[in-house]
Amino acid sequence: DTEVTQTPKHLVMGMTNKKSLKCEQHMGHRAMYWYKQKAKKPPELMFVYSYEKLSINESVPSRFSPECPNSSLLNLHLHALQPEDSALYLCASSHPRTGQVHNEQFFGPGTRLTVL
Amino acid sequence: KNQVEQSPQSLIILEGKNCTLQCNYTVSPFSNLRWYKQDTGRGPVSLTIMTFSENTKSNGRYTATLDADTKQSSLHITASQLSDSASYICVVIAAGGTSYGKLTFGQGTILTVHP
């Protein structure tokens, strides 16, 4: 299995809702990432987990709460979002090796989030 | 500040024609450079990964070049197909730092192939 899967593909939520995005990979990767991508812009890094521990939080608002229950799963819990949070949310995974040459990140298809 | 600049921003070509996309970067110290293809509403898919010592790398109809001295890379697409219509993103990874490598993304070039 050489792919990263994300669910749901599309999500519409109100500003008072609580929802979760899910990401799964079975490539044995021990680093997992959340990115946010607005239309016609490059992805922006939000969080990095390495060996199930949060390693990087790019000053993301607390209404986004990541969780890594095990080495294959990564969740992003959403609460009290704003309309400007509407975007494509991408998950990625990689081997956290010290040699970065082979540290390719594999991206999932993304979840298209719309906040009303 | 690490930056990656791509040109052109958008490009329209006819099916069967060739095209070349450009990427200039100021990421230092350099580790590797990647070209990704991203279809609308989908995640990026890696086309090539190039290290400091590699000048050219091909993947089917895609050929990437790297000039580490001038810090420039190009992606050449041969005999374009309608399915090549997508955003092409240049990504550069700096050496050192964390072992998982923080990516610096270019803004992308939107390629449209017309029949």
Side-chain angles (χ1 to χ4, degrees):
Chain A
D1 189 350
T2 58
E3 66 172 0
V4 176
T5 59
Q6 290 186 243
T7 56
K9 289 185 178 180
H10 302 275
L11 178 63
V12 179
M13 61 185 291
M15 290 188 286
T16 59
N17 293 154
K18 286 185 179 181
K19 297 287 185 182
S20 296
L21 309 184
K22 296 184 184 300
C23 173
E24 189 168 1
Q25 58 87 15
H26 295 287
M27 294 178 279
H29 292 169
R30 301 307 296 273
M32 296 185 76
Y33 312 73
W34 279 116
Y35 288 86
K36 173 183 177 181
Q37 186 176 26
K38 302 287 276 186
K40 298 185 179 180
K41 296 290 186 181
E44 297 176 8
L45 182 65
M46 300 174 71
F47 303 103
V48 179
Y49 271 83
S50 179
Y51 293 93
E52 296 89 66
K53 286 184 170 45
L54 183 63
S55 297
I56 293 178
N57 177 341
E58 291 287 331
S59 302
V60 179
S62 60
R63 57 185 184 269
F64 295 91
S65 176
E67 177 196 19
C68 191
N70 59 57
S71 60
S72 299
L73 295 174
L74 184 66
N75 298 322
L76 186 63
H77 302 296
L78 314 172
H79 174 55
L81 294 193
Q82 303 297 312
E84 58 265 29
D85 295 322
S86 298
L88 180 69
Y89 287 84
L90 294 165
C91 173
S93 70
S94 70
H95 279 296
R97 295 176 183 167
T98 54
Q100 296 181 26
V101 170
H102 300 291
N103 189 27
E104 179 178 357
Q105 290 191 16
F106 292 80
F107 286 86
T111 292
R112 173 68 61 187
L113 174 67
T114 302
V115 182
L116 301 176
Chain B
K1 181 181 178 182
N2 290 337
Q3 285 188 316
V4 176
E5 294 184 357
Q6 292 186 241
S7 62
Q9 286 188 331
S10 61
L11 181 62
I12 300 174
I13 62 173
L14 292 176
E15 187 179 12
K17 298 296 185 182
N18 303 334
C19 66
T20 300
L21 315 179
Q22 301 290 342
C23 173
N24 297 338
Y25 62 92
T26 58
V27 177
S28 183
F30 175 85
S31 174
N32 61 88
L33 180 148
R34 307 167 189 178
W35 283 94
Y36 283 88
K37 177 186 178 186
Q38 185 175 21
D39 293 312
T40 302
R42 306 289 293 176
V45 174
S46 177
L47 296 175
T48 65
I49 299 176
M50 302 189 73
T51 61
F52 184 87
S53 59
E54 296 175 305
N55 299 119
T56 304
K57 182 172 281 189
S58 293
N59 177 4
R61 294 181 296 103
Y62 301 103
T63 299
T65 65
L66 175 65
D67 185 333
D69 291 330
T70 62
K71 298 187 178 181
Q72 295 179 327
S73 175
S74 67
L75 180 70
H76 185 74
I77 304 175
T78 304
S80 60
Q81 301 175 358
L82 297 179
S83 59
D84 292 332
S85 295
S87 178
Y88 290 83
I89 306 173
C90 177
V91 181
V92 182
I93 293 84
T98 60
S99 61
Y100 20 80
K102 186 174 176 181
L103 282 58
T104 302
F105 288 82
Q107 293 292 318
T109 292
I110 298 174
L111 175 66
T112 304
V113 180
H114 283 166

